[in-house]
């Protein structure tokens, strides 16, 4: 048994049982991948895949039980390498961070700047995606840590930690009726076309829930993943924007007016996550604390131990 055989099995599942894609990812030949799988099956004495001729269709029942073991073995190998690298070079190496658009644009820049000053030899890779894509990047090992408001707590394979709480703001042009200084209500909002986040992004579920509980049907004329896009269309006069409060900057957005909507929509919590059992190098702890100061190494380690 060798690790290349284990990688061949894991990647076959990840690539939807397409051996051509598996060979491409592993930089091997398709016959070589097939041979690695067969040799492992012969050693284990069971078939791991359902076959139709030369095609693989899915996992057999033994394969479904063996796959999690293979995943753990390969993760332990990765952890072994990371631990050795951590002792060999504590201030250098790669760090991959997956985040939603809002977190990458508004919440992460200061942390990245501070971290880079402390660890200039660390190569930082920033991936952006939806909350579910962030979770998938963590599970696949593509990212070391992930940051999002939604979805992360839905995966038992992830350790999740709360970072900070935030609310929404309404943004309008200065000449808009809602900028008259009168109290902002859901009823007043529902009389205007709205522009806000796509479903599943940046607290959108709390916005929908608030209108539904009030018995109101808002007219959402445009939705987007990024607050800058929302503000652009608000500035064009297409509607009223509902964005995360951190997405409004008084100097940069001085052509718009922000109205606090924290009393209308539920408070949101942004969370940081990493894969359960994954070895975190010393500078990963440092990055976590740079982003969320309450998440010291001791706090993160306690969460790992309790997981």
């Amino acid at each position: 048994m060798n690790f290349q055989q284990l990688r061949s099995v894991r990647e076959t599942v990840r690539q939807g049982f397409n051996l051509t894609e598996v060979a491409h990812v592993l930089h091997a030949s398709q016959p070589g991948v097939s041979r690695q799988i067969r040799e492992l099956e012969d050693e284990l004495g069971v078939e791991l895949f359902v076959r139709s001729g030369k095609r693989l269709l899915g996992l057999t029942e033994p394969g479904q039980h063996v796959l999690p073991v293979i995943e753990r073995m390969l993760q332990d190998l990765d952890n072994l390498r990371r631990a050795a690298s951590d002792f060999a070079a504590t201030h250098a190496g790669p760090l991959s961070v997956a985040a939603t658009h809002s977190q990458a644009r508004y919440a992460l820049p200061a942390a990245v700047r501070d971290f880079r000053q402390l660890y200039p030899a660390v190569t930082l890779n920033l991936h952006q995606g939806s909350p579910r894509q962030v979770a998938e990047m963590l599970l696949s090992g593509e990212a070391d840590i992930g940051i999002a408001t939604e979805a992360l707590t839905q995966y038992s394979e992830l350790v999740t930690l709360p970072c900070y709480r935030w609310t929404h703001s309404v943004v309008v042009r200065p000449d808009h009726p809602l900028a008259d200084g009168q109290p902002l209500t859901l009823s007043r909002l529902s009389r205007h076309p709205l522009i806000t986040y796509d479903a599943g992004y940046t607290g959108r579920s709390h916005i929908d829930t608030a209108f539904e509980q009030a018995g109101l049907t808002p007219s959402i004329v445009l939705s987007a993943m990024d607050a800058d896009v929302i503000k652009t269309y608000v500035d064009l006069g297409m509607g009223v924007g509902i964005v995360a409060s951190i997405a409004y900057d008084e100097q940069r957005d001085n052509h718009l007016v922000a109205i606090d909507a924290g009393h209308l929509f539920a408070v949101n919590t942004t969370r940081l996550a990493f894969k359960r059992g994954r070895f975190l190098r010393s500078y990963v702890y440092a990055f976590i604390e740079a982003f969320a100061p309450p998440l010291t190494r001791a706090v993160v380690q306690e969460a790992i131990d309790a997981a």
Side-chain angles (χ1 to χ4, degrees):
M1 185 182 300
N2 59 62
F3 285 111
Q4 191 60 23
Q5 294 170 347
L6 303 182
R7 292 189 189 97
S8 295
V9 172
R10 181 182 67 179
E11 204 59 44
T12 297
V13 177
R14 288 184 175 181
Q15 300 303 322
F17 309 100
N18 185 326
L19 292 183
T20 301
E21 290 299 320
V22 176
H24 175 73
V25 171
L26 295 180
H27 305 289
S29 66
Q30 186 171 330
V33 171
S34 297
R35 184 178 65 256
Q36 295 282 0
I37 292 173
R38 275 299 189 188
E39 288 176 352
L40 180 60
E41 289 179 321
D42 290 343
E43 184 166 349
L44 294 176
V46 294
E47 288 197 344
L48 303 178
F49 295 98
V50 177
R51 290 174 169 81
S52 176
K54 294 184 178 181
R55 294 177 58 238
L56 302 184
L57 304 180
L59 286 169
T60 61
E61 184 176 352
Q64 293 173 11
H65 284 82
V66 167
L67 181 63
V69 179
I70 290 176
E71 293 274 9
R72 288 196 298 271
M73 291 175 69
L74 291 174
Q75 179 166 287
D76 285 343
L77 174 63
D78 184 53
N79 287 342
L80 179 62
R81 288 172 172 163
R82 287 170 175 270
S85 297
D86 197 43
F87 283 103
T90 58
H91 297 285
L95 172 59
S96 293
V97 179
T100 57
H101 295 273
S102 292
Q103 300 303 322
R105 174 66 178 84
Y106 303 108
L108 271 172
V112 170
R113 178 200 61 209
D114 295 344
F115 178 79
R116 287 288 298 159
Q117 292 175 351
L118 293 172
Y119 295 88
V122 172
T123 302
L124 186 61
N125 298 308
L126 182 59
H127 308 276
Q128 294 185 54
S130 69
R132 294 198 178 280
Q133 288 171 331
V134 169
E136 288 166 2
M137 283 186 270
L138 292 172
L139 295 175
S140 69
E142 184 179 353
D144 298 300
I145 59 177
I147 300 168
T149 299
E150 288 86 4
L152 296 182
T153 57
Q154 299 173 17
Y155 295 83
S156 60
E157 304 98 317
L158 300 179
V159 177
T160 61
L161 296 161
C163 297
Y164 66 93
R165 290 155 60 87
W166 57 270
T167 58
H168 287 98
S169 290
V170 165
V171 290
V172 295
R173 298 201 305 188
D175 58 350
H176 194 276
L178 290 178
D180 60 4
Q182 297 300 310
L184 182 66
T185 65
L186 289 174
S187 179
R188 293 188 72 195
L189 267 180
S190 66
R191 299 171 198 155
H192 302 278
L194 302 181
I195 305 171
T196 191
Y197 298 104
D198 285 342
Y201 284 81
T202 323
R204 170 63 187 273
S205 61
H206 288 167
I207 295 172
D208 294 340
T209 298
F211 281 110
E212 182 180 349
Q213 291 179 345
L216 298 170
T217 303
S219 174
I220 298 178
V221 297
L222 181 67
S223 61
M225 294 184 294
D226 190 276
D228 284 343
V229 174
I230 294 171
K231 290 182 290 186
T232 295
Y233 288 96
V234 170
D235 197 31
L236 290 175
M238 287 187 59
V240 173
I242 305 176
V243 299
S245 55
I246 60 171
Y248 178 82
D249 182 276
E250 289 186 358
Q251 294 182 340
R252 185 179 62 243
D253 301 318
N254 56 14
H255 55 293
L256 298 173
V257 174
I259 307 168
D260 179 39
H263 61 293
L264 300 182
F265 309 114
V267 175
N268 301 274
T269 301
T270 291
R271 291 179 169 83
L272 180 145
F274 47 87
K275 189 175 181 181
R276 194 181 305 276
R278 187 176 180 88
F279 178 80
L280 301 182
R281 298 184 62 176
S282 296
Y283 57 72
V284 178
Y285 288 98
F287 184 89
I288 293 173
E289 189 169 355
F291 178 69
L295 298 183
T296 63
R297 181 163 187 158
V299 171
V300 174
Q301 190 60 56
E302 183 178 351
I304 293 173
D305 294 340

